[in-house]
Amino acid sequence: LKYFHSLETSGKMTREEAQARAKESIGAQKQGANNYYFIRTLKDDFFVLHPDASRLGKPDNGGILPDGRTTVQAYRDALAQSKDNKAFIELRTAKPGSQDKTQFPKLNGALKFEPWGWMPGIGFFIDDIDARFWKQSSIFLLVGSVLFALLAVLVFRMRGAILHLLGGEPQDAAE
């Protein structure tokens, strides 16, 4: 956003061109099937960018959280407490495109981009993070186990070669 804003402020692009290019650039950065970037307006709760086109151009409060606040209000409260205009909230929501309406825990992050009055954000389903963690952990454990086994084989072969050169166990030779 800062890059496209700098093009606007330098006069190389109009605001509309810079915002359109910024939305295009951010929208192209999808993170898998369930994780995507979105942009809301700071004041009137409109989506400027969202992969679901039906949510664009009209007020969207993001739903009601268990504490009674809207998702947008939770973002605003978290951003108001933030020293660096960045905030994270945890919520529960159904996965996009799923017929199953089971609510999954999700970690969303947002920031204020005040020059354009935007609140860009992204969310990650925590079960997706857990699945990726365990997949990577399994790979690391497998690689570590193979390396450990290889090291053990090398140590025992080296021990055997040294004992062969010495003609047996050093303690036996001392007796």
Side-chain angles (χ1 to χ4, degrees):
L1 290 177
K2 290 178 183 177
Y3 170 73
F4 292 107
H5 181 252
S6 71
L7 293 176
E8 175 202 352
T9 57
S10 70
K12 293 180 181 171
M13 284 186 177
T14 66
R15 174 168 281 203
E16 291 75 26
E17 290 171 325
Q19 287 179 338
R21 294 288 308 276
K23 287 189 288 187
E24 182 181 300
S25 176
I26 291 169
Q29 298 181 52
K30 247 183 111 130
Q31 303 289 315
N34 296 323
N35 305 307
Y36 52 84
Y37 287 94
F38 60 86
I39 302 173
R40 291 180 173 277
T41 56
L42 283 171
K43 301 216 181 310
D44 54 14
D45 302 340
F46 280 69
F47 273 112
V48 174
L49 174 72
H50 195 279
D52 181 356
S54 70
R55 297 181 75 178
L56 296 173
K58 57 186 174 192
D60 187 322
N61 65 15
I64 305 296
L65 299 175
D67 64 5
R69 296 179 300 163
T70 64
T71 301
V72 173
Q73 190 57 50
Y75 284 130
R76 285 195 182 115
D77 292 347
L79 286 168
Q81 295 173 3
S82 170
K83 293 181 175 127
D84 62 356
N85 286 333
K86 298 174 189 162
F88 293 95
I89 65 167
E90 284 189 50
L91 50 94
R92 297 184 71 79
T93 188
K95 291 194 175 188
S98 172
Q99 300 305 322
D100 179 14
K101 296 302 173 194
T102 303
Q103 302 283 301
F104 291 92
K106 188 175 184 184
L107 178 64
N108 280 14
L111 58 93
K112 278 189 212 176
F113 189 69
E114 295 186 81
W116 290 345
W118 283 3
M119 180 183 2
I122 189 168
F124 294 97
F125 284 95
I126 293 173
D127 66 327
D128 291 342
I129 295 169
D130 287 344
R132 179 172 254 172
F133 169 80
W134 287 113
K135 181 180 178 184
Q136 290 300 114
S137 295
S138 299
I139 291 169
F140 287 141
L141 284 171
L142 179 64
V143 169
S145 297
V146 167
L147 290 175
F148 183 74
L150 184 62
L151 180 63
V153 166
L154 290 174
V155 166
F156 281 109
R157 290 196 66 191
M158 187 182 298
R159 178 185 177 272
I162 291 171
L163 288 178
H164 179 71
L165 287 173
L166 292 175
E169 286 283 342
Q171 188 171 6
D172 291 343
E175 292 177 1

